[in-house]
Amino acid sequence: YNSQGGGDDSDDAIADAWARATACTVIPGHDVVSSGGHNMNNIFGRREGQGLGPDAWKRLQKLMRGYHRFNNSSIGQSGNTDEERQSHGDENVYTIENSIASLSHMNVSPDGTTKLLLKMKKDGLEVESVIIPWFDKGFSTLCVSSQVGCRQGCTFCATGRMGKLRSLSTDEILVQVYYASKVRRVVGNIVCARDHFLPKVDNIVFMGMGEPADNAEAVVRAVNVMVDRRLFGLAQSKVTISTIAPNPSAFHTLGQAPAYLAWSVHAIDDQVRRRLVPTSMNTMEELRCALVNALKSRTSKLRRTMLEVVLVAGVNDSDEDAERLADFSKKILNDVERSKVVVNLIPYNSIDHPTYRTPSMERILAFQKIIVGGGLLCYVRTTRGDNESAACGQLATKKMRPKSELLE
């Protein structure tokens, strides 16, 4: 925001990108009409009456100047100090874009799934986050990243092929929520090809790039900001941290965050799990005991946990695999009073692995039937955004984009 009110220059670029993807027509200076014939006049115009007051604006800029000095970000990199800017008559205006991260690219799938590519101001590295709209439920889920790349090397995951470049700071995690909210605000009144609005982001999952346990301190701090009523104001039940559990202590460390825990188990058999997660060093029984201890230390409201399994044909989708998973899940329920376990089955999304294939829907449903027959809740995750490489396991930044490529 600027001190006089109104929007910023990237609003129009976001609106244009969304309109192109959802069959709306944008003509500068004219009415905007969606594919359904809705009049979209003025929704791309500047926001009115949302500017900060002078005192608030000055305080915000003071904080941002301190942020720049502390992080040695854009000013230090460009060689322009505050004094040099002032001597050239430049106005010191600090924004999210020139302090933390900028939105460099946005892809929208036909189902409304929106992948955001954010360029970190610190070093130009990029991360992806994904907005998944649930039109029938009236809200969107935001899948956030905690690292640039990942060192866990899961063989079914594109991010694992990148390796770990670095962890994100708390601000770099939270800026993903900021941009998701901004995109939703800009396109919230645009009717897409299916005549749906992009619903409000009301659910956060740490299931993007990176392993949260390898960046636990920043992740826990970010979650505390997300659920603070004075800040992002999300309910604790609306934030989920998913971990591969690289070691038993991961559950205790991440359990300090006021959010649900999810565990990417993928297989109960230790040998099969090491095939899928080559960095596994502990047995599944060791990890299960650690999860049980972590859940026991939490409030009853946060004793709900999700066990996630990426199903790969011929690898971990047999009836025997399902029976092991059902027994494993029931042990957690029996060991933790007032707990709740939900099994989430994720059909493998192709990343061009030479042998991995997606199981047939018949096989997936048979697997689910065994889990449900064991008295457990079990859902099959709907694949969203796979045509834009935005589905689970497909997130990977393929290249560094130049500044001129903003939202192109």
Side-chain angles (χ1 to χ4, degrees), residues 1 13 34 61 64 73 128 152 154 183 196 210 252 293 316 390:
Y1 302 114
S34 75
Q61 288 300 297
M64 295 299 275
S73 56
E128 294 179 335
Q152 296 304 321
C154 297
V183 168
H196 288 298
H252 172 74
N293 290 334
N316 65 341

Side-chain angles (χ1 to χ4, degrees), residues 180-302:
S181 298
K182 176 174 182 170
V183 168
R184 191 267 171 181
R185 172 185 57 76
V186 172
V187 306
N189 293 321
I190 301 176
V191 179
C192 72
R194 294 177 58 194
D195 282 342
H196 288 298
F197 297 159
L198 182 63
K200 177 182 178 181
V201 174
D202 192 37
N203 194 44
I204 306 289
V205 293
F206 281 80
M207 298 180 184
M209 299 170 66
E211 165 52 52
D214 291 335
N215 189 23
E217 186 176 344
V219 168
V220 172
R221 281 200 303 262
V223 172
N224 277 294
V225 173
M226 291 176 186
V227 302
D228 192 319
R229 292 184 180 181
R230 300 164 297 177
L231 300 171
F232 285 98
L234 290 166
Q236 295 181 9
S237 61
K238 298 295 185 179
V239 182
T240 301
I241 303 173
S242 178
T243 177
I244 202 74
N247 52 62
S249 64
F251 294 119
H252 172 74
T253 305
L254 294 175
Q256 305 305 306
Y260 285 145
L261 291 178
W263 182 14
S264 297
V265 298
H266 303 310
I268 306 306
D269 181 85
D270 289 327
Q271 186 175 359
V272 176
R273 190 172 198 262
R274 288 193 181 97
R275 176 181 175 183
L276 295 167
V277 187
T279 53
S280 296
M281 300 297 292
N282 299 93
T283 67
M284 289 300 287
E285 183 59 21
E286 289 171 335
L287 294 173
R288 187 193 70 82
C289 290
L291 174 61
V292 165
N293 290 334
L295 291 176
K296 285 181 178 179
S297 68
R298 314 195 88 201
T299 65
S300 58
K301 291 183 179 180
L302 292 179

Side-chain angles (χ1 to χ4, degrees), residues 323-337:
E323 290 165 359
R324 291 191 193 100
L325 178 58
D327 291 341
F328 189 84
S329 303
K330 285 187 284 188
K331 286 181 181 179
I332 297 174
L333 281 173
N334 293 334
D335 289 348
V336 184
E337 186 180 358

Side-chain angles (χ1 to χ4, degrees), residues 113-118 128-134 139-145 172-184 198-208 226 232 234 238-241 390 395:
T113 299
T114 303
K115 183 168 71 172
L116 309 179
L117 185 66
L118 303 181
E128 294 179 335
S129 54
V130 182
I131 306 171
I132 306 168
W134 303 100
F139 68 86
S140 296
T141 294
L142 176 65
C143 183
V144 302
S145 297
E172 290 170 333
I173 294 172
L174 292 171
V175 79
Q176 298 171 67
V177 185
Y178 163 82
Y179 273 110
S181 298
K182 176 174 182 170
V183 168
R184 191 267 171 181
L198 182 63
K200 177 182 178 181
V201 174
D202 192 37
N203 194 44
I204 306 289
V205 293
F206 281 80
M207 298 180 184
M226 291 176 186
F232 285 98
L234 290 166
K238 298 295 185 179
V239 182
T240 301
I241 303 173
L395 299 188

